[in-house]
Amino acid sequence: MLTRAAAAEACDLWVLLDRGTRHRTWLGRLLSLPARDIEPCFWLGKAGGVAVLMFLDGAWSEYRATDPDGPAPATEAQRMALSCEEPTPAPPESCLRAERAFAAAAEYLVRGERPRWLVYQYVR
């Protein structure tokens, strides 16, 4: 799936881990907890040769990946396409070369943890 997304000119890819059905209690029903246990992993957006990679934790807190070698140059249109539906463009420092973002996503899927060769900015 990642290989096909990397070959595309643009993509908007959410990766979530479905752990199966959740044991529902009366309190869970009262609080409207979902019936399935879904854990977020990452969001990867690509526009041309530029991408934004954002990892999420179990509380849906966001960690934007940044490259210690420096951001990829991106146009305003590319940054807007990579804003993850926010009204403002993606920050320039979160723009990665697409091949680096896809390599990091693939490493995460194999190892189950964020790659250490990127730096992460806590968003919320």
Side-chain angles (χ1 to χ4, degrees):
M1 175 77 83
L2 276 179
T3 304
R4 287 193 352 235
E9 180 64 23
C11 79
D12 183 3
L13 180 68
W14 281 96
V15 175
L16 308 168
L17 180 60
D18 185 347
R19 297 193 183 275
T21 56
R22 182 187 310 243
H23 177 70
R24 301 223 358 174
T25 63
W26 67 270
L27 182 59
R29 287 188 185 103
L30 180 68
L31 297 174
S32 300
L33 292 177
R36 300 199 63 80
D37 184 11
I38 305 290
E39 182 179 336
C41 295
F42 62 84
W43 174 78
L44 175 59
K46 178 185 177 199
V50 181
V52 170
L53 178 60
M54 186 171 25
F55 288 93
L56 298 106
D57 63 18
W60 293 80
S61 296
E62 301 173 5
Y63 301 86
R64 280 199 188 118
T66 60
D67 195 337
D69 293 340
T75 66
E76 184 81 13
Q78 286 173 317
R79 290 179 43 232
M80 196 63 214
L82 299 172
S83 68
C84 197
E85 299 183 10
E86 294 289 327
T88 58
E93 63 274 7
S94 67
C95 294
L96 309 171
R97 290 190 334 267
E99 52 277 355
R100 295 265 294 166
F102 279 92
E107 183 175 323
Y108 174 84
L109 291 175
V110 169
R111 295 183 54 218
E113 60 184 45
R114 296 183 300 215
R116 297 179 205 265
W117 43 270
L118 291 175
V119 177
Y120 302 95
Q121 176 187 18
Y122 175 75
V123 178
R124 57 182 158 127

